[in-house]
């Protein structure tokens, strides 16, 4: 084992095309369904972890502000798994920065826990394989297991009770199909119902939940096939279907969870209009009001033009398919 000290890691957010919604085990954070996502390059979390000899408890600074309460507790619990693996008990100083709004449906927990998994394990002197990193990241946040990898990524539901097979792997590299994603930011406030609570509430109260879980077995091979064949229309069809289904499950919970605002709905219609007009683009929406327009790269300027100045659109962020988590060794290295 190498020396215990400090490390910095960066990870990109990811957007699910076939979505993870529901857990088969809450304690181990095991998904009820497999999922497929694209890791992106422009929404980045950078995290540093330093283990200290004489520290008195972990500290967490997020975007320059000291975090306390449930966020610190979640990170500390995550660090406990790393400490256990490394056989040590040192406290950690964690500093993390997002290049985008936190907790607003832009997958901050995915990039956050992927970066934390790599930075904390390296700082603890561990050299984990990508598979082990993905399992570790999943314990922090299910979607984080996917941000360990770049390109197109599939997360397996797994069937083992210990979760060793609930792990992500690269399906295709960024170079396989260089799609673009234009993210229309329509709301900057952290959402009222986080994905974790939303999933539990859906499982407990939505009459559509069991149908949703059963449907993943059909959506996953279609999405996988569309990516491997680079079949844009097939990818658009299965992704929009899966996205609306996930939101239907959440909406049919009691009380219903509605992640969308007026602009989200208007933009979903606009995505469909654009496709009717011959622009190769489709939408997806996660647990928040932002709309992600996934398109062929040559269509990105047209998509941005159609969305520029749209009432309620606060920002447009263009992303390419990006790399997986990596150690940050300094600017330009
Ligand atoms: C709608 O990974 O944030 O973005 O495992 O409870 O931390 P936890 O949930 P999280 O859920 C992501 C939900 C989603 C769909 C997806 O990314 O697959």
């Amino acid at each position: 084992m190498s020396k215990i000290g400090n490390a910095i890691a960066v990870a990109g957010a990811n957007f699910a095309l076939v979505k993870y919604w529901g857990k088969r085990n809450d304690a181990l954070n095991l998904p009820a369904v497999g999922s497929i996502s694209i890791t992106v390059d422009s929404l980045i979390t950078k995290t540093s972890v330093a283990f200290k000899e004489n520290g008195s408890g972990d500290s967490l600074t997020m975007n320059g502000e000291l975090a306390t309460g449930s966020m610190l507790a979640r990170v500390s619990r995550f660090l406990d798994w790393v400490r256990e693996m490394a056989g040590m008990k040192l406290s950690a100083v964690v500093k993390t920065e997002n290049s985008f709004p936190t907790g607003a449906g832009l997958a901050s927990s995915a990039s956050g826990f992927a970066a934390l998994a790599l930075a904390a394990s390296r700082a603890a002197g561990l050299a984990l394989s990508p598979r082990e990193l993905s399992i570790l990241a999943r314990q922090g946040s299910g979607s984080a297991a996917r941000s360990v990898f770049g390109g197109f990524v599939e997360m397996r539901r797994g069937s083992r009770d210990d979760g060793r097979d609930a792990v992500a792997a690269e399906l295709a590299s960024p170079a396989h199909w260089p799609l673009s994603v234009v993210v229309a930011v329509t709301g900057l406030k952290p959402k009222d119902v986080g994905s974790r609570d939303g999933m539990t509430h859906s499982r407990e109260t939505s009459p559509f939940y069991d149908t949703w879980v059963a449907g993943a077995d059909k959506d996953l091979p279609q999405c996988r096939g569309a990516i491997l064949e680079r079949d844009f229309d097939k990818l658009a069809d299965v992704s929009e279907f899966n996205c609306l289904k996930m939101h239907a499950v959440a909406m049919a919970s009691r009380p219903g969870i509605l992640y969308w605002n007026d602009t989200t709905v208007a933009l979903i219609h606009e995505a469909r209009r654009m496709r009717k007009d011959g622009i190769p683009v489709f939408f997806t929406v996660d647990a928040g009001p932002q709309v992600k327009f996934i398109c062929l790269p040559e269509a990105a300027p047209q998509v941005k033009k159609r969305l520029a100045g749209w009432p309620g659109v606060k920002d447009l962020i263009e992303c390419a398919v990006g790399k997986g988590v990596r150690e940050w060794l300094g600017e330009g290295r």
Side-chain angles (χ1 to χ4, degrees):
M1 196 172 80
S2 61
K3 220 169 125 266
I4 294 172
N6 42 291
I8 306 179
V10 288
N14 70 73
F15 302 137
L17 303 176
V18 171
K19 297 189 189 291
Y20 150 51
W21 194 252
K23 300 182 201 286
R24 63 184 173 90
N25 177 320
D26 292 338
L28 291 177
N29 215 24
L30 304 182
V33 289
S35 53
I36 294 179
S37 58
I38 305 180
T39 302
V40 295
D41 69 346
S42 316
L43 303 172
I44 296 289
T45 301
K46 182 172 160 194
T47 299
S48 69
V49 176
F51 285 103
K52 303 274 182 197
E53 286 296 343
N54 300 314
S56 54
D58 300 320
S59 75
L60 169 65
T61 307
M62 287 181 82
N63 300 319
E65 280 183 32
L66 211 56
T68 51
S70 60
M71 193 49 90
L72 175 61
R74 192 167 165 187
V75 166
S76 255
R77 205 178 48 201
F78 186 85
L79 292 168
D80 286 341
W81 290 312
V82 177
R83 283 186 276 253
E84 200 182 305
M85 281 195 273
M88 57 88 159
K89 294 200 160 132
L90 302 179
S91 301
V93 177
V94 179
K95 292 186 183 152
T96 185
E97 271 171 38
N98 287 335
S99 69
F100 58 94
T102 303
L106 283 172
S108 54
S109 70
S111 52
F113 279 100
L116 183 63
L118 181 59
S121 57
R122 286 281 163 90
L126 298 166
L128 301 183
S129 67
R131 184 187 159 83
E132 287 170 317
L133 263 183
S134 179
I135 290 172
L136 174 62
R138 186 208 73 229
Q139 290 171 250
S141 189
S143 54
R146 299 187 310 240
S147 273
V148 167
F149 300 94
F152 298 83
V153 181
E154 178 161 2
M155 168 84 185
R156 298 279 172 182
R157 172 194 188 274
S159 54
R160 288 173 59 123
D161 288 343
D162 65 4
R164 297 290 303 167
D165 55 354
V167 60
E170 185 189 279
L171 201 57
S173 71
H176 167 75
W177 202 9
L179 296 178
S180 293
V181 185
V182 178
V183 182
V185 178
T186 71
L188 293 166
K189 281 193 304 215
K191 54 208 174 207
D192 293 338
V193 184
S195 358
R196 185 154 292 196
D197 291 344
M199 285 183 201
T200 308
H201 186 60
S202 296
R203 185 182 63 204
E204 285 169 358
T205 67
S206 178
F208 301 157
Y209 183 78
D210 292 343
T211 313
W212 159 257
V213 171
D217 285 345
K218 282 201 181 130
D219 297 353
L220 287 164
Q222 279 176 29
C223 184
R224 203 183 297 137
I227 290 167
L228 296 178
E229 294 153 22
R230 294 191 206 91
D231 184 334
F232 191 84
D233 288 339
K234 190 168 163 186
L235 189 65
D237 170 63
V238 67
S239 302
E240 291 190 355
F241 172 61
N242 185 272
C243 167
L244 293 178
K245 233 186 342 173
M246 182 205 105
H247 285 276
V249 173
M251 282 181 209
S253 314
R254 205 159 172 176
I257 307 168
L258 184 53
Y259 286 114
W260 303 347
N261 60 31
D262 298 3
T263 311
T264 315
V265 178
L267 293 182
I268 288 174
H269 287 295
E270 178 62 3
R272 292 201 154 165
R273 267 193 300 270
M274 284 196 243
R275 207 149 79 254
K276 262 202 188 126
D277 293 344
I279 303 173
V281 62
F282 66 87
F283 68 85
T284 193
V285 185
D286 291 299
Q290 331 304 358
V291 183
K292 290 108 191 186
F293 292 84
I294 294 153
C295 59
L296 294 179
E298 58 271 25
Q302 265 176 302
V303 171
K304 282 200 293 186
K305 204 167 151 209
R306 292 272 290 244
L307 300 174
W310 193 284
V313 172
K314 298 181 190 331
D315 199 4
L316 291 174
I317 307 168
E318 189 176 344
C319 312
V321 183
K323 293 190 231 167
V325 69
R326 60 238 175 242
E327 243 187 300
W328 196 80
L329 303 167
E331 214 69 67
R333 294 172 65 191

